[in-house]
Amino acid sequence: MIFSALNAFFLFSCVASALSANTPVYVNVRVEGDTSTLYDGNVLTKGHVVHPISGDNHHCDGTNNRAHPIPVPVATAALDDAAMTGNFTWNGPTQSFARTWTPSLDDYFMTQIASVPASPTSLQNWFLYLNYHPAQVGGCQLKVNEGDKVLWAFGPSAPIALHLDGPKEVVVKSWNMFHVTDGLNGHPIAGASVEGNRTDGNGDVWLKFSDIGMKSIKAENYGSIRSNALQVNVISELSMSDPEDQTALQ
């Protein structure tokens, strides 16, 4: 009886684990096209049947190519959810050089996102990154977790993805330092452009804003993927939240 009870408990635990593995998670999905950011937002996602514009619908839940034994949230499913919320399409049907679905890999070959098609003749393709790490498997096999950063980027190879960091709140017309790095390893990036100013050898750039309000800034550098958008709240001196600071200004 004890043995049977233990078996039943083990079976229940396995079933419960399987049911919870594909629990929806929030991830950030960013799509960087050839000339601009096509999408950047948080989506709630889990593994599911995805819907490319070609109509070549397939399961996309981590069990693809036996990558995971049970369904889990994955990168291409997150893109599919982003496409629905952002009103764009992916995997365009006009590409004749490759099937959208690759049976041998049990996964998709990304041929188009929004209005930007891949072009093998010019070696321009879509690349997938997870938390700045280049993906080593297809997007229907790449598991994502709560808070992950999913990046689809267009380019001639799999270049480094820039990361921009700095203060989230600054005083108008004051100088503040921002920092640009390789998102994968944190190495500083010299010569990157942020608001028309170039970073120095330490990856630093000093900026000031002439008017108040929310600013969205990015870093760009030739041969690299443009950075995340950094939201900066530019305030007047009298808008500082610390009452002691306001008193000091009077």
Side-chain angles (χ1 to χ4, degrees), residues 55-73:
D56 204 8
N57 302 344
H58 286 276
H59 72 290
C60 186
D61 59 11
T63 62
N64 304 68
N65 205 26
R66 299 181 180 179
H68 299 273
I70 55 177
V72 294

Side-chain angles (χ1 to χ4, degrees), residues 15-97:
V15 171
S17 176
L19 291 175
S20 63
N22 200 24
T23 300
V25 295
Y26 278 102
V27 299
N28 176 260
V29 176
R30 180 157 55 97
V31 181
E32 294 291 350
D34 50 348
T35 60
S36 64
T37 302
L38 303 176
Y39 182 86
D40 189 352
N42 296 327
V43 299
L44 183 65
T45 190
K46 68 175 184 177
H48 61 269
V49 173
V50 294
H51 304 86
I53 195 173
S54 64
D56 204 8
N57 302 344
H58 286 276
H59 72 290
C60 186
D61 59 11
T63 62
N64 304 68
N65 205 26
R66 299 181 180 179
H68 299 273
I70 55 177
V72 294
V74 290
T76 297
L79 175 68
D80 190 60
D81 288 322
M84 287 188 285
T85 60
N87 195 29
F88 65 89
T89 58
W90 62 275
N91 210 49
T94 60
Q95 306 306 310
S96 60
F97 60 87

Side-chain angles (χ1 to χ4, degrees), residues 27-32 60 74-79 107-110 113 125-144 148-155 157-159 161 184 225:
V27 299
N28 176 260
V29 176
R30 180 157 55 97
V31 181
E32 294 291 350
C60 186
V74 290
T76 297
L79 175 68
D107 213 323
Y108 287 95
F109 177 79
M110 194 61 61
I113 301 179
N125 289 298
W126 282 100
F127 295 92
L128 172 60
Y129 297 75
L130 180 62
N131 299 324
Y132 293 103
H133 291 262
Q136 302 300 310
V137 295
C140 287
Q141 303 170 55
L142 185 61
K143 181 183 178 182
V144 297
D148 276 351
K149 300 181 186 303
V150 179
L151 170 62
W152 292 88
F154 182 81
S157 61
L184 178 61
I225 300 168

